[in-house]
Amino acid sequence: MAEHATLVLIKPDAIARGLAGAVLSRLEQLPLKLIGAKVTRVSQELAEVHYQALRDKPFFNELIQHIRGELHHVEYVLALVYAGPDAVAAVRQVAGATNPEAASPTSLRGSLGRMTTKGVMENILHASSDDQEARREITLWFRPDELLMPLYASKPIAGQMRVWE
Ligand code: IDP
Ligand code: MG
């Protein structure tokens, strides 16, 4: 059972600009295993729970609109789960700092991200910040049967269906 896993969301700004493949190519270079992937719409509720720690920030509403694709006329994100040694730190390093202007030019955000003239932070991808957040986020975005590996404890509910414990 993998001890370390992380959630990546390829955000609507990257989808709109045709950068999903570039993100995947870069993440593929890491010694991590892709154990979950899906295209999914982001409901208001999912967005708010995902970013619950930021609900008091002045940019919260814009952040929710952004991840829901409302700023880029995109209906979905690409959600990915990577597992392996130090998955959280490895993906954060490749992602780069939150603000694309401050991110290393060799990182995904530094090379492909941008601040728009309207002040929207188009930073390409979400990456979990620590193991605890990764677990919270992965179990929020994925059902147990959507992952190739039983990362966390789950229980059967009906037939083949399982839910996180
Ligand atoms: P992270 O994505 O690098 O973990 P967080 O601080 O968790 O950064 O913020 C989550 C997201 O909120 C960022 O990726 C970015 O889209 C947005 N965000 C963070 N700080 C700002 C800001 O100062 N202005 C606008 N958007 C921000
Ligand atoms: Mg964060």
Side-chain angles (χ1 to χ4, degrees):
M1 193 182 284
E3 282 186 25
H4 294 284
T6 191
L7 179 79
V8 170
L9 302 174
I10 301 185
K11 293 184 177 183
D13 54 277
I15 304 289
R17 294 171 61 210
L19 297 171
V23 174
L24 283 166
S25 293
R26 187 65 188 279
L27 294 174
E28 221 171 17
Q29 307 299 314
L30 293 170
L32 300 175
K33 202 173 160 206
L34 182 60
I35 62 164
K38 65 177 168 186
V39 165
T40 182
R41 287 195 177 84
V42 184
S43 69
Q44 181 77 19
E45 188 191 9
L46 175 59
E48 288 182 3
V49 175
H50 175 76
Y51 281 127
Q52 64 187 20
L54 300 174
R55 63 186 169 272
D56 295 331
K57 299 283 185 192
F59 55 83
F60 184 69
N61 286 341
E62 183 190 88
L63 176 60
I64 298 305
Q65 284 186 304
H66 183 183
I67 198 68
R68 296 197 66 207
E70 290 171 352
L71 304 181
H72 297 88
H73 308 290
V74 165
E75 285 177 78
Y76 63 94
V77 299
L78 196 48
L80 310 163
V81 179
Y82 287 91
D86 294 321
V88 165
V91 173
R92 291 287 290 190
Q93 182 166 13
V94 165
T98 304
N99 185 333
E101 287 178 345
S104 160
T106 61
S107 68
L108 281 167
R109 287 166 166 177
S111 58
L112 301 175
R114 64 185 185 184
M115 294 293 297
T116 69
T117 50
K118 286 183 181 161
V120 177
M121 202 182 272
E122 295 190 341
N123 65 358
I124 309 290
L125 73 161
H126 166 81
S128 306
S129 57
D130 57 46
D131 286 342
Q132 198 182 331
E133 268 297 277
R135 182 187 178 127
R136 186 187 76 83
E137 293 172 357
I138 290 166
T139 56
L140 177 66
W141 286 81
F142 286 85
R143 296 193 313 267
D145 52 79
E146 292 178 306
L147 301 179
L148 291 183
M149 234 183 251
L151 276 183
Y152 316 114
S154 66
K155 60 185 179 193
I157 45 164
Q160 302 275 54
M161 278 279 278
R162 300 185 74 85
V163 291
W164 300 112
E165 267 176 22

